Amino acid sequence: MNDSISQLDPNRLQRSKFSYTTRRIPQESIATLITGNLRPQSGELVLARVSGIGQHTRLERPDGRRCHLFIGDEIVVSYGHRYAPDQFEAVVPDNLAPCHLVAAGGVAGNMLNRHRKMKIPTHIKPLGLLGDVHGRRLNLNNFKLPSLPKPATTPLTLAVVGSSMNSGKTTTVANLIHGFTKLGMRVGAAKVTGTGAGCDYWKMKDAGAKVVFDFIDAGFSSTYKASLVELAEITETLIDNLAHSEVDIRIIEIADGLFQQETAALLSLPGFASLLDCILFASADSMGADAGVRWLQQKGLPVIAVSGVVTSSPLAAREIEAAIRLPVYPTPSLTKRATVETILDTLAARTEQPQEPLAQRSAALAVING
Amino acid sequence: MESNTDKNQLHTPLPHGIVLKRRLKAEPGLCYFLYLPQRDLKNAPIFVSIHGISRNAAEQAFSFAELAERYGVILVAPQFDKARFQGYQRLGWGAKKQRADQALEKIILEVVDLTGASNGPFYMFGFSGGGQFAHRFAMAFPHSVARLALGAPGWYTFPDPTQRFPRGIKSSRHSRLGLRPSRFLHIPTCVLVGENDNLRDDDLNKSPRIDQQQGCDRIERGLRWIQAMVAAARAREIKPTFTFEVLRDSDHSFKNCIKNGELNNRVFSFLFGEPPDKPAEDLPNFPAMAGNQKIPKDLTCGGTT
């Protein structure tokens, strides 16, 4: 069957519920609906009709409000894979057949697996890919942030990685943002991997970050199954744009646990360590902290402390400190002046050690990209 | 003119080879014990020994004098009297009492001026409450301390920004401290505790908050503090130089720690390295010291000698 391109009624588009993943797409850039025997690509925009309400009863809008979904609603979402051990695993389907809403931020995919606590996903029926006035398929990638030249000086860069989903990474990031902001520092934050959803983005904003980006700003609805080159490009785009945003410190979150393939790949990139001044490891439990910190240290990554869910337990915190011989910061303490001053003191001490020259640091990802 | 006269008086030669008790010239109410080894003192290192709450500065001075002679170091043991320096273990910070850290600085300045000793970082030891003072002093004035030995402090200031001073390094409600771990973590430190010092005696701080944070006895607290210092150092890529030693057949008695645990020898070995070949008894003109010289029961403060 040949592709069919039809003009899209602006009023229909106006009535549609746009999702968080489409937040960089100006509505006026959407003009056509493309149907036919199409194989959707990750990041492409799709107009879909809600055909059955399941796990996700609401859709997050670009402004963060979660609007209720009703059967028959037309929604604008983007195709993407999803990796969420506590929710769904899903992939981009091969065609425009009915599929699932696999993330409240507006990700369409075919569910492969779900956590036992999850209901069946909300069912959606794709009505067509969205195109521009010339009938070209629109992809988040068309609206990504520009690639910027390396700044002359780079702000401090702190990364938060974790043992798993729900290990406290975003809370760690948000508390750090709040703590550094209270010190009078301008903080930029970015979530470089994950699945499109605004809760982390808004939490970083609410914590006081001057500027926040996520992988959507780099043109991806999800980073699951992204190639190594793509992951490097996302990271480079986001941290360079943060550097050009007049911030004093950049805090980046890398989603999921270290066993997640993209997280592991990104952290294993040669030269990745040189992009960071330090890493805080968020863990759900003490064994996870021990294994995670050792994993990071084996890769030469500059992990300086443990935080996250596990720090709710003083006994677990003590176990961790004894096992890995690094400080443990309870997550709430990261909002406190004294704790972030100690982190800055740690960074200052580390920068007094011999380091790679700045030119090498900033060229690291370029090398990765070949 | 008056200051010149003072200076001349200060430079009156002091006897070497005996433990002196002196009043601080600038503050006569403040006493300290001083031992000068029988050799040229120009740029000699200074060893500071801080007493516990029994205020046994004299006992400490006499216990370390022989080693000070052998190693050629100047021994200084301040006497923080109870009336003015009640909270000396916590440096006197936040209390209405006199600042013990400032008192020590004055004493060191006088000793350097009197003897020509090194005015660089000094070597510090403290026992029990003196250990508390010593490690807090080192945290507050890291550039003043070259190496640190702590004998069984009851509790510690952890490098923990979530706890207020003196349990942690967070500023107290009354003062902004500015303790910088990246500075004090460079100081090589040894904690020495008697193997039987695991009793919750009357002198031990048994506050629930201390128990919770640091453990229930001096051994556990020492180990946890070392662990925390190592963790903080490793986070900063500072090579950890913190050690914990157990003193054989010793409890919390300073006397037993010296007698059974060889505390004095171990402190000097840690601070200054292996002892010189010649024992002090073989050195010329060395009067028998620790063994034969009795500690006077009432050592009143002398003037300038």
Side-chain angles (χ1 to χ4, degrees):
Chain A
M1 193 175 88
N2 291 330
D3 297 354
S4 166
I5 301 171
S6 58
Q7 291 299 311
L8 194 57
D9 177 3
N11 292 328
R12 182 182 181 189
L13 201 59
Q14 195 72 39
R15 287 194 302 274
S16 302
K17 291 173 175 170
F18 277 71
S19 65
Y20 171 81
T21 56
T22 69
R23 65 182 168 79
R24 291 189 65 83
I25 316 294
Q27 274 195 32
E28 56 273 20
S29 65
I30 303 171
T32 53
L33 188 67
I34 309 164
T35 55
N37 187 19
L38 302 172
R39 185 185 179 94
Q41 302 295 313
S42 184
E44 286 186 325
L45 298 183
V46 57
L47 180 69
R49 181 177 295 131
V50 176
S51 53
I53 303 291
Q55 175 66 31
H56 293 110
T57 60
R58 295 191 293 175
L59 181 71
E60 186 180 12
R61 302 193 328 174
D63 64 3
R65 187 170 80 78
R66 288 175 172 248
C67 59
H68 289 270
L69 289 174
F70 297 88
I71 291 174
D73 278 352
E74 289 190 348
I75 59 175
V76 178
V77 295
S78 64
Y79 278 109
H81 309 293
R82 179 156 203 212
Y83 172 95
D86 291 357
Q87 289 200 10
F88 299 119
E89 183 189 14
V91 293
V92 175
D94 296 331
N95 50 46
L96 293 185
C99 61
H100 305 115
L101 178 66
V102 294
V107 177
N110 261 342
M111 184 203 75
L112 300 179
N113 295 293
R114 67 183 157 107
H115 191 281
R116 194 172 293 166
K117 288 181 183 167
M118 289 292 112
K119 295 177 185 170
I120 56 168
T122 291
H123 284 61
I124 56 175
K125 177 177 171 41
L127 303 173
L129 298 179
L130 294 173
D132 65 8
V133 69
H134 303 294
R136 288 177 300 210
R137 291 152 68 160
L138 290 173
N139 192 303
L140 302 186
N141 196 39
N142 306 133
F143 301 91
K144 67 181 179 184
L145 289 166
S147 294
L148 297 176
K150 299 288 175 197
T153 56
T154 52
L156 290 170
T157 306
L158 189 157
V160 174
V161 299
S163 59
S164 63
M165 186 180 182
N166 295 329
S167 57
K169 293 181 296 293
T170 306
T171 305
T172 298
V173 169
N175 287 4
L176 283 167
I177 292 169
H178 196 65
F180 284 117
T181 303
K182 272 162 64 174
L183 276 189
M185 295 177 73
R186 296 165 301 180
V187 185
K191 183 166 180 175
V192 297
T193 62
T195 304
C199 49
D200 297 351
Y201 177 92
W202 298 114
K203 193 165 186 174
M204 293 179 192
K205 282 259 186 197
D206 292 345
K210 180 176 181 254
V211 55
V212 179
F213 297 129
D214 65 14
F215 42 86
I216 291 172
D217 295 295
F220 286 77
S221 58
S222 157
T223 56
Y224 185 34
K225 296 184 183 292
S227 70
L228 209 52
V229 170
E230 288 171 329
L231 293 169
E233 282 175 355
I234 293 168
T235 306
E236 189 175 33
T237 298
L238 299 186
I239 66 172
D240 286 350
N241 275 272
L242 286 179
H244 283 272
S245 303
E246 295 182 336
V247 297
D248 302 311
I249 185 166
R250 301 180 288 198
I251 301 177
I252 66 170
E253 177 183 346
I254 302 173
D256 299 307
L258 298 177
F259 288 157
Q260 203 278 340
Q261 61 193 25
E262 283 76 32
T263 298
L266 187 59
L267 290 167
S268 303
L269 283 172
F272 188 77
S274 64
L275 298 174
L276 308 174
D277 291 293
C278 70
I279 291 176
L280 258 72
F281 188 74
S283 184
D285 58 65
S286 50
M287 282 296 286
D290 183 45
V293 168
R294 286 177 202 276
W295 189 94
L296 293 166
Q297 288 174 335
Q298 279 168 6
K299 298 197 177 302
L301 290 159
V303 54
I304 62 161
V306 171
S307 191
V309 171
V310 69
T311 62
S312 301
S313 162
L315 288 178
R318 199 194 309 158
E319 282 174 6
I320 294 169
E321 191 179 73
I324 64 175
R325 302 199 298 162
L326 281 177
V328 177
Y329 298 133
T331 319
S333 79
L334 298 173
T335 63
K336 307 293 184 191
R337 185 185 185 98
T339 308
V340 288
E341 279 178 343
T342 297
I343 291 170
L344 289 177
D345 178 73
T346 303
L347 291 175
R350 295 176 74 96
T351 51
E352 285 167 12
Q353 313 292 325
Q355 271 204 333
E356 289 180 76
L358 181 64
Q360 260 177 276
R361 283 165 58 98
S362 50
L365 276 182
V367 171
I368 292 160
N369 290 335
Chain B
M1 288 300 288
E2 192 178 318
S3 61
N4 281 344
T5 308
D6 289 347
K7 202 169 179 68
N8 289 338
Q9 282 179 348
L10 278 176
H11 282 105
T12 305
L14 295 171
H16 292 216
I18 61 167
V19 175
L20 307 170
K21 185 169 185 181
R22 294 183 50 80
R23 286 184 189 280
L24 190 69
K25 176 82 177 168
E27 195 176 327
L30 182 57
C31 295
Y32 63 96
F33 293 86
L34 179 68
Y35 180 87
L36 306 177
Q38 300 173 84
R39 63 180 73 185
D40 180 13
L41 300 181
K42 192 169 186 325
N43 293 323
I46 292 178
F47 167 69
V48 175
S49 183
I50 309 289
H51 60 70
I53 56 171
S54 66
R55 264 85 181 168
N56 62 338
E59 183 184 11
Q60 289 199 0
F62 279 90
S63 298
F64 285 112
E66 180 180 346
L67 287 162
E69 182 63 42
R70 286 179 68 184
Y71 281 80
V73 303
I74 294 170
L75 184 160
V76 179
Q79 179 83 60
F80 296 126
D81 65 81
K82 196 169 182 177
R84 288 187 303 157
F85 295 101
Q86 196 169 18
Y88 79 99
Q89 306 99 306
R90 295 169 295 282
L91 309 180
W93 289 7
K96 288 177 181 169
K97 300 292 176 185
Q98 200 161 331
R99 289 268 299 267
D101 55 343
Q102 292 173 346
L104 176 60
E105 283 175 340
K106 288 178 194 167
I107 291 170
I108 296 295
L109 280 175
E110 178 172 294
V111 171
V112 169
D113 199 32
L114 280 170
T115 64
S118 163
N119 62 359
F122 50 81
Y123 298 78
M124 187 149 64
F125 165 74
F127 188 80
S128 193
Q132 288 189 49
F133 171 90
H135 84 279
R136 291 185 181 118
F137 183 92
M139 286 174 141
F141 307 100
H143 297 300
S144 298
V145 180
R147 293 176 79 88
L148 181 65
L150 308 174
W155 59 290
Y156 298 79
T157 292
F158 276 57
D160 182 348
T162 69
Q163 303 289 329
R164 288 191 191 281
F165 186 84
R167 283 179 291 116
I169 57 172
K170 186 177 179 180
S171 293
S172 69
R173 287 183 183 83
H174 308 294
S175 58
R176 178 127 187 87
L177 307 178
L179 300 179
R180 292 278 306 275
S182 58
R183 301 287 175 256
F184 62 68
L185 290 167
H186 285 283
I187 302 170
T189 302
C190 179
V191 172
L192 306 105
V193 187
E195 65 176 341
N196 301 322
D197 195 353
N198 54 359
L199 301 176
R200 287 168 67 78
D201 54 58
D202 290 345
D203 294 333
L204 187 74
N205 184 329
K206 292 184 274 289
S207 138
R209 287 200 299 189
I210 299 290
D211 285 347
Q212 184 185 45
Q213 179 200 18
Q214 308 193 5
C216 295
D217 60 57
R218 293 183 183 88
I219 293 175
E220 192 174 24
R221 291 177 184 183
L223 284 167
R224 279 201 207 167
W225 184 75
I226 289 286
Q227 178 183 303
M229 295 293 275
V230 167
R234 278 167 44 87
R236 290 162 177 79
E237 294 186 323
I238 297 168
K239 189 180 173 190
T241 45
F242 303 96
T243 54
F244 184 88
E245 294 187 18
V246 173
L247 302 172
R248 187 174 51 83
D249 197 19
S250 303
D251 52 17
H252 195 59
S253 150
F254 179 76
K255 197 183 298 282
N256 287 342
C257 288
I258 295 283
K259 186 180 161 195
N260 302 333
E262 296 184 83
L263 175 66
N264 46 355
N265 291 325
R266 293 172 77 162
V267 166
F268 265 63
S269 290
F270 175 77
L271 294 180
F272 302 106
E274 289 305 306
D277 292 339
K278 277 189 173 180
E281 290 81 354
D282 295 344
L283 293 169
N285 304 321
F286 181 74
M289 184 51 63
N292 300 339
Q293 185 178 337
K294 296 269 195 268
I295 304 172
K297 282 186 178 171
D298 180 25
L299 263 177
T300 52
C301 289
T304 54
T305 58

